Amino acid sequence: MHRTHRRWPPLVALLADSGVLHLVRPGPFAAIVPRALGDPLPWVYGSGVAELACAAGVLTPRTRRGAALATAALFVAVYPANLQMALAAVRSPTAATGYRVATLVRLPLQLPLVLWALSVRRAAGRP
């Protein structure tokens, strides 16, 4: 199996699962959109559609390289929502300790996701 095939299928699954969840269960995602962005639903639906588009792009050999770069950018773009989620959890008097810890642990995990998408781009080679 070619090197690129080992990297992209799990990334496609992650993006597709997350994209579908954003569209069918927007509530939890809306709760973490920074207030400064206004109405959260367009952001939630937009990010869900973006994740599905990235998944489709990474799935397709002709578009894999560009879509992997778009995926890395998307992972960077959603970081403020992850930060908002962690801040809200830490400030909440009712949030469970495990949830608080999970939201904080998740923050540095965004970097490996970005690097993963970039590795798919590199493995896809030049067009």
Side-chain angles (χ1 to χ4, degrees):
M1 187 177 280
H2 191 270
R3 276 181 46 183
T4 189
H5 292 297
R6 291 187 301 229
R7 294 179 185 176
W8 65 263
L11 182 60
V12 168
L14 174 77
L15 290 164
D17 288 348
S18 184
V20 168
L21 280 174
H22 277 74
L23 299 177
V24 300
R25 296 210 48 212
F29 300 102
I32 65 171
V33 172
R35 291 182 194 183
L37 295 177
D39 183 3
L41 284 180
W43 294 103
V44 172
Y45 291 134
S47 62
V49 168
E51 287 170 325
L52 291 172
C54 285
V58 171
L59 184 63
T60 307
R62 241 176 51 182
T63 58
R64 184 168 299 137
R65 187 170 157 77
L69 183 59
T71 299
L74 179 63
F75 288 148
V76 171
V78 300
Y79 190 78
N82 294 336
L83 185 58
Q84 177 66 35
M85 181 172 54
L87 290 172
V90 168
R91 292 176 181 159
S92 172
T94 60
T97 301
Y99 176 72
R100 288 179 184 166
V101 170
T103 63
L104 292 170
V105 168
R106 181 179 180 182
L107 293 175
L109 293 180
Q110 206 73 14
L111 179 59
L113 290 174
V114 171
L115 296 175
W116 182 15
L118 293 175
S119 77
V120 168
R121 177 180 164 79
R122 279 190 307 277
R126 300 233 176 246

